[in-house]
Amino acid sequence: MIERYVEFIGEHELNAIFKYAERLKDLSILHVNSTAAGGGVAEILHRMVPLMRELGLNADWKVIRGEPEFFTVTKSFHNALQTGVGEIPDEYFKTYEKWQEINASEIPLDYDVVFIHDPQPAGLIKYRKKGTWIWRCHIDISNPHPKVWGFLRRYISQYNGMIVSIPEFARDDLDIPQIAIPPSIDPLSPKNIPLPQTTIDRIVEKFGVDRDRPLVLQVSRFDRAKDPIGVIEAFRLAKRHVPDAQLVYLGSPATDDPEGEVVYQETVRAAGGEKDIHLLMLPPNSHIEVNAFQRAATVVMQKSIREGFGLTVSEALWKKKPVIGGNTGGIRIQVINGVTGFLVDTPKAAAHYLVYLLKNKKVREEMGEAGRDHVRRNFLITQQLRRYLMAILYLTKRHAA
């Protein structure tokens, strides 16, 4: 399967991947995260782990479990780490530690290399039996809640290294090696493969969207960090100038996000039953549906207020769609302002660029071409795979062998 990527990355890149993998074949590698479906981390692992195995690596993936009380705690931690604010009761820390102990008793951790993804399972390091442990942080921790970060930092400082999505997320208060590796999309996944036009039309029309009118799209969890209310506000401002425009906000639930339903209901109230605002809550594995909407969209938005990376930006750029993105986190390295889309700080600014792009087909096409090339050169899964292999080589001290 991995040879199929040659058309995107070339023989030289593929040979480098095989070369690095050859030096790691005697190691066992484990990935641990908090959900098997929903969100970018699970999506990447569904593609990354099989690719590692195809290279001959002994790679495995485990998902921690927890009751709602645990995921309420970790969602609070997630929000507090990204925003720097929040009320965190002392008992939350006890709940967090209780579930680390439970999961440590159920997940075999005796691997040579262990990737722990995000804060939810970060405390498993306390139960390390052997090996090189790497904390892979997918969120923005540049301005974290002091109490939550102080608690997690005690764990993170025990890792052999940390991987962040962009250099700006690195921490001055850690002495461990910190490596910047952006997430990625898989051009061969159901979410990103080319689709027949008839499939695109059929899926979009099934949800009551008119294929003959301009379509503004945001694909995100119903999460306040994704600013769903701001998306609606921007759309309403833009619609004054493009009256036939339609908005689709497409989200999915995730087992580690108990807040999703609450934010969805907030968004429903903000939409006020307006017929041209479509709020869709689809199952986490609705990859073909997401693919179809992204290809049908006229302009794609990712108006996040906080964002670790935002895989949906690269997904849209790959499909040659200009993106209006929140000026935050990893969106900044995907949306090159004025080249692949526009970065914005307010709904008013988003509306301004929405109108501009909806009315200028030539600009949309030029940005679409630039966006696809930007993703091809920087954010495909083979590049992330190669960088992970290099990180393992470095942190296991095999890079100089």
Side-chain angles (χ1 to χ4, degrees):
M1 185 176 93
I2 197 165
E3 281 79 9
R4 295 172 60 199
Y5 293 90
V6 167
E7 66 171 298
F8 308 114
I9 63 175
E11 289 285 354
H12 180 76
E13 176 79 0
L14 190 62
N15 288 338
I17 292 171
F18 275 101
K19 179 180 175 183
Y20 293 136
E22 187 64 32
R23 297 165 67 179
L24 300 172
K25 284 186 174 178
D26 60 320
L27 299 180
S28 56
I29 301 169
L30 175 66
H31 291 270
V32 180
N33 80 318
S34 63
T35 179
V41 179
E43 280 187 32
I44 291 171
L45 290 176
H46 273 294
R47 312 299 292 184
M48 178 68 71
V49 173
L51 284 175
M52 284 184 161
R53 288 173 178 163
E54 191 176 334
L55 290 169
L57 302 177
N58 179 17
D60 208 349
W61 173 21
K62 304 292 183 185
V63 177
I64 61 169
R65 70 179 185 91
E67 293 181 350
E69 60 162 0
F70 172 64
F71 289 118
T72 296
V73 167
T74 55
K75 182 65 178 183
S76 298
F77 283 10
H78 173 97
N79 291 341
L81 289 168
Q82 288 220 125
T83 65
V85 297
E87 294 294 327
I88 310 295
D90 288 342
E91 58 264 31
Y92 276 22
F93 300 102
K94 295 176 183 174
T95 300
Y96 180 88
E97 291 185 326
K98 181 183 80 174
W99 282 98
Q100 304 303 307
E101 183 177 4
I102 292 171
N103 280 290
S105 69
E106 297 176 351
I107 296 175
L109 297 172
D110 54 342
Y111 286 72
D112 297 313
V113 178
V114 179
F115 282 87
I116 299 292
H117 294 264
D118 276 333
Q120 296 95 329
L124 290 176
I125 185 78
K126 182 178 178 182
Y127 304 94
R128 169 161 57 179
K129 297 175 181 176
K130 67 169 193 175
T132 298
W133 281 53
I134 302 167
W135 189 52
R136 200 326 175 189
C137 180
H138 294 268
I139 64 174
D140 180 351
I141 53 169
S142 58
N143 183 33
H145 187 288
K147 185 177 178 182
V148 176
W149 176 246
F151 172 76
L152 285 175
R153 182 173 168 275
R154 291 188 290 118
Y155 291 122
I156 307 307
S157 61
Q158 298 176 49
Y159 281 76
N160 298 94
M162 177 171 87
I163 296 175
V164 292
S165 294
I166 60 174
E168 288 80 0
F169 294 166
R171 300 287 313 171
D172 291 335
D173 56 356
L174 287 173
D175 292 328
I176 61 175
Q178 299 178 58
I179 303 166
I181 300 177
S184 61
I185 65 166
D186 186 346
L188 300 179
S189 74
K191 191 184 271 187
N192 295 307
I193 56 173
L195 293 177
Q197 190 61 47
T198 52
T199 303
I200 297 170
D201 293 343
R202 175 178 56 77
I203 290 174
V204 171
E205 289 172 355
K206 184 174 73 174
F207 291 96
V209 177
D210 188 342
R211 289 291 292 118
D212 295 325
R213 293 163 53 195
L215 173 57
V216 178
L217 173 72
Q218 175 154 317
V219 178
S220 289
R221 287 189 185 190
F222 285 92
D223 183 320
R224 295 188 185 99
K226 315 296 184 184
D227 198 18
I229 308 299
V231 171
I232 290 174
E233 183 181 347
F235 172 74
R236 282 183 171 141
L237 290 171
K239 196 170 170 60
R240 295 176 184 173
H241 303 276
V242 189
D244 58 342
Q246 311 161 92
L247 170 68
V248 169
Y249 192 111
L250 196 166
S252 299
T255 55
D256 64 344
D257 185 6
E259 202 174 61
E261 178 60 26
V262 175
V263 178
Y264 173 73
Q265 294 301 334
E266 291 174 1
T267 311
V268 169
R269 288 192 290 275
E274 196 169 321
K275 65 179 177 58
D276 284 332
I277 299 177
H278 303 267
L279 305 179
L280 306 181
M281 180 75 93
L282 301 185
N285 293 322
S286 304
H287 300 313
I288 295 295
E289 286 80 2
V290 171
N291 190 343
F293 271 105
Q294 288 171 330
R295 292 184 185 280
T298 313
V299 178
V300 172
M301 296 182 70
Q302 186 58 52
K303 217 202 83 50
S304 302
I305 299 168
R306 292 283 181 180
E307 189 66 76
F309 185 72
L311 280 179
T312 54
V313 174
S314 278
E315 290 167 7
L317 295 177
W318 183 247
K319 299 168 182 94
K320 299 185 179 180
K321 304 297 176 180
V323 175
I324 297 173
N327 185 17
T328 183
I331 294 176
R332 292 192 183 116
I333 64 171
Q334 299 175 85
V335 175
I336 304 173
N337 202 33
V339 178
T340 66
F342 295 101
L343 293 169
V344 298
D345 293 301
T346 65
K348 188 175 181 181
H352 170 77
Y353 288 118
L354 265 179
V355 173
Y356 175 69
L357 287 172
L358 288 171
K359 291 188 173 183
N360 287 279
K361 182 179 179 182
K362 186 171 185 294
V363 174
R364 293 200 306 269
E365 290 176 345
E366 289 173 352
M367 287 188 161
E369 292 291 340
R372 182 174 170 99
D373 189 55
H374 184 47
V375 173
R376 183 187 61 77
R377 287 184 285 106
N378 297 288
F379 308 121
L380 294 186
I381 194 162
T382 44
Q383 285 141 355
Q384 188 180 3
L385 174 60
R386 175 174 53 79
R387 289 162 180 157
Y388 273 10
L389 299 180
M390 293 170 70
I392 297 172
L393 281 167
Y394 174 69
L395 293 172
T396 57
K397 305 186 187 309
R398 293 183 172 208
H399 58 293

